[in-house]
Amino acid sequence: MKQVLSVFTLLVLASRVSAFDIEECNWKGKLENVVHPAHKNVRMFYNDQVAVYNLDYEEPAACSYALAIVLPDVTAEIPMRKCVEISCFSGIDIKNAKSSYDPIKGLLLTIPYRVYNGGGTDPAKEPVQIRVNLQNASVRVE
């Protein structure tokens, strides 16, 4: 019975570590959390309209990295920018991020990342794919 509970506990922890959290940046996405050197940890996409920042909150260590995606907020009454954070990575390889564009779906970002393996990190089997739709100012993980 103890082994069954231990396996169950590991499966629950693994599912939490591999799931991404998506929320508005609010106070959480502070500049001091941009991974340094900063100029190597920000990428611009889609004619410089979309900025992606690599963040590190240091804790919890298994998923301390996050992406802050800043884009025009076309839903606002006056021209503004919107920030969406996707978190719970063990590392992010932002310099190898790729992008493609679909006129109907929007911008697709494909970003390699790392996952926690219990004693360190390993590259994820597949990069995370993030859809950024500038027509409705939305961001989602695919």
Side-chain angles (χ1 to χ4, degrees):
M1 179 67 169
K2 221 178 207 184
Q3 278 185 316
V4 171
L5 286 176
S6 295
V7 170
F8 177 76
T9 303
L10 285 173
L11 288 172
V12 169
L13 287 173
S15 69
R16 285 188 185 158
V17 170
S18 65
F20 303 114
D21 296 326
I22 301 175
E23 60 189 341
E24 287 188 28
C25 293
N26 295 325
W27 294 102
K28 196 174 180 184
K30 297 179 183 176
L31 285 175
E32 63 263 23
N33 297 111
V34 175
V35 176
H36 288 276
H39 71 280
K40 292 184 178 180
N41 285 288
V42 62
R43 293 281 309 272
M44 302 298 292
F45 296 96
Y46 198 68
N47 299 320
D48 293 339
Q49 292 186 64
V50 177
V52 180
Y53 296 87
N54 186 6
L55 307 175
D56 184 2
Y57 292 109
E58 297 180 8
E59 291 295 332
C63 62
S64 64
Y65 285 84
L67 293 167
I69 300 171
V70 181
L71 63 149
D73 188 354
V74 296
T75 64
E77 289 183 29
I78 57 173
M80 299 184 76
R81 303 205 46 86
K82 175 180 182 176
C83 181
V84 176
E85 183 177 292
I86 302 172
S87 59
C88 209
F89 298 93
S90 294
I92 299 168
D93 183 4
I94 199 164
K95 75 176 181 183
N96 286 313
K98 307 267 188 264
S99 68
S100 61
Y101 184 76
D102 178 302
I104 297 188
K105 295 179 181 179
L107 179 69
L108 180 66
L109 302 174
T110 303
I111 304 173
Y113 69 98
R114 299 187 71 77
V115 293
Y116 183 69
N117 66 15
T121 64
D122 292 319
K125 292 179 182 170
E126 296 291 327
V128 63
Q129 293 194 314
I130 301 165
R131 181 71 64 185
V132 180
N133 188 322
L134 296 180
Q135 293 180 354
N136 61 14
S138 67
V139 176
R140 66 183 168 86
V141 174
E142 290 195 343

